[in-house]
Amino acid sequence: MSRTPAVDTTTLIVSMSPHVRGSLTVERMMGGMLLALVPTTVVGVYVFGLTALLTVALAMATAAAVEAALELLTKRELTIRDLHALLTGLLLALILPPTAPWWLTMTGAATAVILGKMVFGGLGTYPFNPPLVAWVVLKLSWPERMSSFIAPFTGERVLTPLMAFQEDPALFYAYDLWDLFLGKAAGGIGMVCGLAIVIGGLYLIIRGIIRWHIPVAFLLGVGLFAGIMRMINADLYPPVGFHLAGGGVLLGALFLAPEPVTSPVTPTGMLAFGLLAGILTMILRMWGSDPDGTFYAILVMNAATPLFNYLTPRAYGERMA
Amino acid sequence: MGIVLRGITLPKKYSAPLELIEITPPTHVVLPLIQHLGEPAAPTVTVGQKVKSGQLIAAAPTDRSVPLHSPLTGTVTAITTTFSSRGQDTEAVVIEGKQIKPKTKPLPAPSTLSPAELTVAFREAGLLSPGPFPAPLIREILGPEQSGSRLSLSGTRLVKRTDTLLVSALDPEPCLGVNRYLAGIVSEALAVGIAALKTISGAERVVIVTDANLPLPAALRAIAAADEEETTRIIRLNGRRYPTGLPIPLIKAALGREVPLPYGRPRDVGVALCTVSAAVSLGETLLTGAPPLTTLLTVGGAALSRSGIVEIPLGTTIEDLVDALGGFTREPSKLIIGGPLTGFAHYDPSVPLGKDAGGLFALTEEELTPVGAYRECINCGRCVAVCPVNLVPGMLSMYCAKDRFEEAAAQGLFSCIECGCCDYVCPSRRPLVHFFRHAKHQLMEAES
């Protein structure tokens, strides 16, 4: 019998099972999110011109550079390869108004990375969605800059549909719902075209990068609330589609609320989180000071995420007392 | 149809090919005295003694161990120490010789034997329970009356009578294929074995679980058809779904019963659980009068030229089996006894493959994901979505990584069945099973 060619046993790896693993990694998740945001970004640039492209590029570059600088400073491993900094920058750019000056964009991106992410220890540890933390800081610091919107293509100063609705509820009649959905109304760079956002979101759900629970529950929360209000008084309250397509609801439901780090881990927790975030969005829209409550609602729910994590399923075989 | 549990569905490339590979049997075997949970067997031979194929070489003083028989005719050359399949240090009997069919006296027909006589043969066969943590099968099958103990292995009082014999034609993990292979080719021994196990366990009904992806084996259909009292049922489950084949999820998926965790055993919920391979071994023991001297293994991995099922004498070492398969064709990075999802990695190719082996996989570097580099938990919840026992593995792993073992235990650490589904799906590549085993070990050390 021939002997086995001697195997170098010192190179054999000994570790715990399982010895094979699935293909999904953090890099692939973040890469998938970036890819899913391409349609939204392209529409934003098409509608608002090259300034929007500059804002996007500047936000992504600043986020990546600030993260790398902090990591060099604190002698930690560079994490640019996990793509999370780029994703943070891109998401921030997409919720900025198209008129955002360069310094606003850079301050925002740096705030998102420093205050939103790195002070807590980086990816996996922060309690609040980093782009939204930056958005709140900018909104409080430069309120008028953060609410100066322009009409698509023409560049003329206008109010967003939700701002107009806050001024005078009857104004919602002035908007065609399809315009809202197809990118013909004013809004943030990535918030104008619902269709592009939905395409990206469906891609994420089909590829398994985000789970369906939070987006579905979020939209359900907004839809149910808006539907009930509409039933109470159809003259005063806009149709459900106006609330779904207007403002940040779609971007929030599909990209911001399901952000893994700041959302619950259990399916029940995710459903409750999404539903309450949707309802809170509507409450803020109806009675809040900000025309679009989506981002505040998500941040508030982020704070409640540890509570939702108590909604764990009953452990198998637990003796019923 | 059974219940679909949380878990993962593995890609087709992880399904074992169900073909027998013919090999030349080795002339050297190493038989570890303990190959399971419980106590070691006591050797009955001395170094230099001549042994015959089928001769008892280590006796089981209680039902917490199983007897061992020589698979070769030859000489005991040493009593040494080795690793068991699961990496425990154990004494082992080394035998050099030739594989010869043992001479046996013909037995009376199995159907004429009394339950006590069947139990004697069952005890003699020295079978183990299924799964990555096997125990002597006799402890899991015998009812409280026959075993003389009213306590189960877990130490809980047996209040439930065993009412169901659950025979699994699924394998513990989809990468292994012995049970599915045997269900497809054996008929007489399987029927005899199942009938005997039903009598021994005192169960009223038999439930057989088969893989829905394969045609229903004719042998099983015949068993169900031959049962005139209609106490035999066949349930078909997706065999590519994991961990349906592991004992605790299997009982839930097939019968809807939840074994109390932690430490529960199938008997705690009135189930006697065995596999097709155990039933076939018992059937053959009853038909031929000789205890099982060989075992079937699934072999695979890109470092080996062939993958499939092999039949080897018990105690064949990894290196002898690899030789018989034609050696490594590529440099292996990991040698695994068991399957890729629950098996144990070994660094020593002279470790024997015993009753508890189930498989041998030689994986190359490309088949492995890098070990060691992992990220913080990003809270994505994928582990929660796949955990068959409904834990929150990500949270547990954070406690374990920070040495907060008591808090992990309070969150259900000891209910973890170590199936590895959470590990498989984790995008941060966290070694969750490693964390859990470490934490359990630390807590048990602290207790003793």
Side-chain angles (χ1 to χ4, degrees), chain B residues 99-290:
Chain B
Q99 192 181 30
I100 294 174
K101 225 174 161 212
K103 277 191 213 120
T104 50
K105 281 176 271 172
L107 283 183
S111 53
T112 62
L113 294 175
S114 70
E117 286 168 311
L118 286 173
T119 308
V120 170
F122 182 36
R123 189 168 277 134
E124 187 68 8
L127 301 171
L128 299 181
S129 68
F133 299 96
L137 187 61
I138 193 145
R139 292 278 308 197
E140 308 274 15
I141 296 284
L142 280 191
E145 301 81 34
Q146 298 112 307
S147 67
S149 161
R150 298 204 74 85
L151 297 181
S152 90
L153 255 192
S154 64
T156 50
R157 232 178 103 78
L158 283 177
V159 283
K160 269 209 147 149
R161 215 167 56 80
T162 304
D163 61 359
T164 305
L165 174 68
L166 185 60
V167 184
S168 170
L170 295 180
D171 290 280
E173 48 182 290
C175 324
L176 302 175
V178 171
N179 289 324
R180 280 174 285 186
Y181 168 73
L182 282 174
I185 60 150
V186 187
S187 51
E188 196 196 355
L190 181 56
V192 168
I194 292 178
L197 285 166
K198 189 180 171 201
T199 310
I200 295 168
S201 64
E204 294 137 21
R205 58 169 188 156
V206 179
V207 175
I208 305 171
V209 186
T210 70
D211 187 347
N213 300 321
L214 298 174
L216 183 63
L220 296 178
R221 203 180 309 137
I223 290 171
D227 179 13
E228 280 156 16
E229 290 155 21
E230 299 196 339
T231 52
T232 306
R233 233 176 61 193
I234 293 179
I235 293 181
R236 310 188 75 191
L237 297 172
N238 181 0
R240 292 226 311 276
R241 186 90 180 149
Y242 176 78
T244 315
L246 293 182
I248 285 166
L250 183 67
I251 291 170
K252 171 83 174 178
L255 305 172
R257 296 186 193 174
E258 292 193 0
V259 175
L261 293 175
Y263 314 122
R265 305 298 295 190
R267 260 175 57 188
D268 298 342
V269 289
V271 177
L273 174 66
C274 75
T275 55
V276 161
S277 93
V280 167
S281 295
L282 178 59
E284 277 170 357
T285 308
L286 290 169
L287 289 171
T288 64

Side-chain angles (χ1 to χ4, degrees), chain B residues 2-28:
Chain B
I3 300 166
V4 179
L5 290 181
R6 292 181 178 192
I8 52 183
T9 305
L10 289 169
K12 263 214 177 88
K13 65 172 175 176
Y14 289 127
S15 296
L18 305 180
E19 285 146 30
L20 190 72
I21 306 171
E22 298 285 345
I23 58 161
T24 332
T27 55
H28 161 97

Side-chain angles (χ1 to χ4, degrees), chain A residues 296-307:
Chain A
Y296 288 120
I298 293 174
L299 282 169
V300 170
M301 295 324 278
N302 284 166
T305 289
L307 297 177

Side-chain angles (χ1 to χ4, degrees), chain B residues 413-430:
Chain B
L413 173 69
F414 282 94
S415 296
C416 169
I417 59 168
E418 298 173 13
C419 64
C421 284
C422 48
D423 220 311
Y424 183 89
V425 297
C426 181
S428 284
R429 297 264 185 253
R430 292 170 74 76

Side-chain angles (χ1 to χ4, degrees), chain B residues 369-385:
Chain B
T369 40
V371 182
Y374 64 90
R375 292 174 196 284
E376 286 303 312
C377 172
I378 60 160
N379 255 324
C380 68
R382 278 176 177 72
C383 49
V384 182

